[in-house]
């Protein structure tokens, strides 16, 4: 039975995987980054091009980016869906006299990481290694925010040695039951 890797072996393995991933991503004809909500893509193009020379086609499930008459830099099915009405692209001048097509994609599902921009991408990233940026409670949808606030409350209660919200609910139910049945003896009742 193989033993699990030591922390230093795991660290070395993670560093090697990260270096390989960085090298693979550098081979793509574009650069991309993401947050939990959106993607930013930069496709370098010649400095003499204008917006009318660029072809960008965005649908809910597909993306194509090309200089007209040339092989597309990106052309395929998106890894996940996007909100097309919230997406945009611009042609921007960058240092060294070049330009880049800058693309903003708004994710439909704001709770998942993408391993690639398009499904036919030659290289993918390991989303399990992503360290998300700190988010604010106000950024979360109502249901998720409520769940996170409840978890935070319960954690604070446990740290102070007080009952969690679930335990408080059980105790409240027992009090109501006791009030409804004063004839019963609850002196030896235990909550679990």
């Amino acid at each position: 039975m193989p033993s699990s890797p030591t922390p230093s072996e795991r660290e070395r393995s993670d560093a090697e995987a990260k270096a390989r991933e960085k090298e693979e991503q550098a081979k793509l004809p574009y650069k991309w980054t993401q947050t939990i909500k959106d993607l930013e893509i930069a496709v370098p193009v010649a400095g003499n091009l204008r917006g009318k020379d660029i072809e960008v086609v965005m649908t809910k499930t597909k993306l194509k980016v090309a200089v007209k008459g040339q092989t597309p830099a990106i052309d395929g099915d998106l890894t996940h869906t996007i909100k097309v009405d919230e997406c945009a692209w611009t042609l921007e001048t960058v240092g060294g006299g070049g330009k880049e097509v800058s693309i903003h994609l708004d994710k439909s599902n704001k709770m998942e990481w993408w391993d690639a921009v398009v499904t036919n991408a030659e290289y993918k990233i390991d989303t399990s290694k992503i360290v998300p940026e700190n988010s604010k409670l106000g950024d979360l949808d109502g249901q998720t925010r409520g769940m996170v606030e409840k978890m935070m409350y319960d954690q604070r209660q446990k740290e102070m040695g007080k009952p969690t919200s679930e335990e408080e609910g059980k105790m409240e139910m027992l009090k109501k039951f006791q009030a409804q049945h004063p004839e019963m003896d609850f002196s030896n009742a235990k909550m679990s």
Side-chain angles (χ1 to χ4, degrees):
M1 183 171 184
S3 64
S4 57
T6 66
S8 62
E9 290 171 335
R10 193 175 11 244
E11 218 172 272
R12 187 176 67 249
S13 172
D14 286 350
E16 289 169 359
K18 191 172 188 165
R20 182 177 58 253
E21 191 173 277
K22 187 175 182 178
E23 188 179 305
E24 289 172 351
Q25 292 297 309
K27 293 177 185 175
L28 293 172
Y30 55 89
K31 303 283 177 248
W32 69 286
T33 59
Q34 69 179 312
T35 67
I36 197 71
K37 296 178 179 184
D38 54 27
L39 271 78
E40 299 295 333
I41 306 165
V43 181
V45 295
N48 63 339
L49 296 177
R50 299 175 59 183
K52 66 181 183 178
D53 301 317
I54 307 298
E55 179 184 9
V56 177
V57 180
M58 286 185 257
T59 69
K60 185 175 182 174
T61 59
K62 294 184 183 296
L63 177 64
K64 179 180 179 181
V65 182
V67 173
K68 288 181 181 171
Q70 295 182 14
T71 304
I74 304 172
D75 189 9
D77 292 329
L78 292 166
T79 304
H80 300 285
T81 60
I82 59 171
K83 293 181 180 177
V84 180
D85 293 342
E86 302 296 323
C87 299
W89 72 273
T90 58
L91 182 61
E92 300 176 5
T93 303
V94 293
K99 291 185 178 179
E100 71 181 19
V101 179
S102 181
I103 304 157
H104 171 83
L105 299 180
D106 203 58
K107 296 178 180 179
S108 293
N109 181 343
K110 307 227 182 271
M111 298 303 288
E112 68 188 346
W113 295 105
W114 293 24
D115 63 354
V117 176
V118 286
T119 57
N120 62 351
E122 196 171 339
Y123 305 107
K124 303 196 184 292
I125 63 169
D126 181 358
T127 57
S128 69
K129 302 289 187 209
I130 293 177
V131 179
E133 73 280 359
N134 289 331
S135 59
K136 300 173 191 78
L137 280 176
D139 292 344
L140 303 173
D141 63 74
Q143 183 180 6
T144 305
R145 180 180 176 160
M147 190 169 60
V148 170
E149 286 176 338
K150 179 184 178 297
M151 290 167 55
M152 291 169 59
Y153 173 80
D154 287 344
Q155 183 63 34
R156 281 193 306 271
Q157 290 293 95
K158 280 183 181 179
E159 288 172 359
M160 294 186 295
K162 295 182 178 178
T164 64
S165 54
E166 188 176 320
E167 293 165 342
E168 286 175 340
K170 286 179 182 178
M171 290 184 341
E172 191 60 37
M173 245 187 338
L174 179 61
K175 284 181 186 175
K176 285 180 183 175
F177 189 77
Q178 286 175 323
Q180 292 171 351
H181 301 279
E183 72 281 0
M184 297 180 77
D185 179 21
F186 291 95
S187 59
N188 292 324
K190 290 191 169 67
M191 295 296 293
S192 58

